[in-house]
Amino acid sequence: MCPGRDWCSWRDWSVPGGCTQGRDGSHGPRRVAGGLPRYGGRMSARLVVLVSGAGTNLQALLDACADEAYGAAVVAVGADRPGIEGLARAQRAGIPTFVLRVADYPLRADWDRALADACDGFSPDLVVSAGFMKLVGPDFLARFGGRFINTHPALLPAFAGMHGVRDALEYGVKITGCTVFIVDSGTDTGPVIAQAAVPVSDDDDVAALHERVKVSERALLVETVGRMVREGWSVHGRKVKVGH
Ligand code: GAR
């Protein structure tokens, strides 16, 4: 692990001479030996994006990745259900997809392991949950902990869970927003990377507010992922620092 840090960024363990030991021991040699992943002659971080629905956050990442200067490429898109627009977006972009339904596995832990294997098969530097409506388990976190991020449509720690927008509206808050965070073993409890505020209007319903939150969310996710892959990140306790 990098001296003086609880965690290290992919740049630390992907450059010769950088960190060779991640917290779970899974990082380092493979990437140090291979050096930085390269696409089209330029350095690029590999993203696997997980979706469960419309995939507008995925689309924002795909659009951003079209610019080489962004510093990342979506190398695969995974889902927990077939037939969703998020998968169609990936297919239209020519990106490999995989679908793993919890119901197809005898135990939740089997699904979790299969999900981790499927992601691992694409050697991601960062896994992004973009509207993926499933909690991952210990196997997945053992492999991707510290480099698995999620986007949530509320200002965490307020209104965690499946209905962040509805719960914020029902509570009567005047400001809500979105949060990009590093996933840990809790429900939306991991260290916060970035947040953006969105005012609530008197006449908002859940759909209208969610659409406005998603406008902010897409911009925040694109900006945050871009900064992470270009500048690196570190985590000290609950504090995430992007850049040096
Ligand atoms: C996003 O608002 C995301 O924050 C939310 O699902 C939406 C997906 O939109 N996720 C959660 O609520 C997770 N708790 P998209 O499919 O259009 O990107």
Side-chain angles (χ1 to χ4, degrees):
M1 199 179 301
C2 295
R5 293 202 230 152
D6 299 337
W7 189 243
C8 53
S9 74
W10 74 275
R11 283 194 186 281
D12 294 321
W13 37 266
S14 61
V15 296
C19 180
T20 59
Q21 186 63 55
R23 182 168 51 187
D24 61 9
S26 65
H27 303 155
R30 175 167 58 108
R31 295 170 198 285
V32 170
L36 291 167
R38 282 175 188 278
Y39 303 91
R42 289 186 62 110
M43 184 175 65
S44 192
R46 297 171 67 85
L47 309 180
V48 169
V49 182
L50 302 179
V51 295
S52 295
T56 65
N57 281 282
L58 163 67
Q59 188 66 54
L61 286 171
L62 290 171
D63 294 346
C65 289
D67 181 353
E68 282 190 346
Y70 184 65
V74 178
V75 294
V77 172
D80 62 332
R81 63 200 74 185
I84 55 173
E85 179 60 15
L87 287 170
R89 290 178 191 275
Q91 282 150 6
R92 287 197 293 271
I95 289 164
T97 61
F98 57 88
V99 176
L100 296 169
R101 298 184 335 147
V102 173
D104 292 338
Y105 293 84
L107 298 172
R108 180 75 180 218
D110 297 330
W111 172 83
D112 189 54
R113 208 169 302 116
L115 182 69
D117 287 343
C119 291
D120 227 0
F122 293 95
S123 303
D125 297 300
L126 197 59
V127 181
V128 182
S129 168
F132 186 60
M133 295 305 207
K134 288 284 181 296
L135 294 176
V136 299
D139 267 310
F140 192 94
L141 288 176
R143 272 191 261 178
F144 297 107
R147 55 195 175 109
F148 178 38
I149 69 170
N150 191 10
T151 174
H152 182 74
L155 291 174
L156 294 172
F159 312 117
M162 297 281 284
H163 304 288
V165 178
R166 181 199 70 187
D167 294 347
L169 198 60
E170 283 180 1
Y171 193 90
V173 295
K174 303 300 182 195
I175 305 271
T176 185
C178 49
T179 303
V180 178
F181 64 99
I182 293 178
V183 179
D184 68 6
S185 58
T187 302
D188 301 330
T189 53
V192 171
I193 311 168
Q195 293 184 301
V198 174
V200 179
S201 304
D202 289 343
D203 55 357
D204 265 336
D205 60 15
V206 174
L209 180 57
H210 199 173
E211 276 314 308
R212 253 187 6 271
V213 167
K214 280 171 70 165
V215 171
S216 288
E217 198 175 11
R218 290 189 284 266
L220 185 73
L221 183 65
V222 165
E223 186 199 341
T224 304
V225 168
R227 285 197 59 216
M228 289 175 80
V229 300
R230 289 189 305 270
E231 301 171 34
W233 72 96
S234 57
V235 185
H236 303 258
R238 289 203 56 84
K239 299 270 176 66
V240 180
K241 184 170 179 229
V242 179
H244 300 291

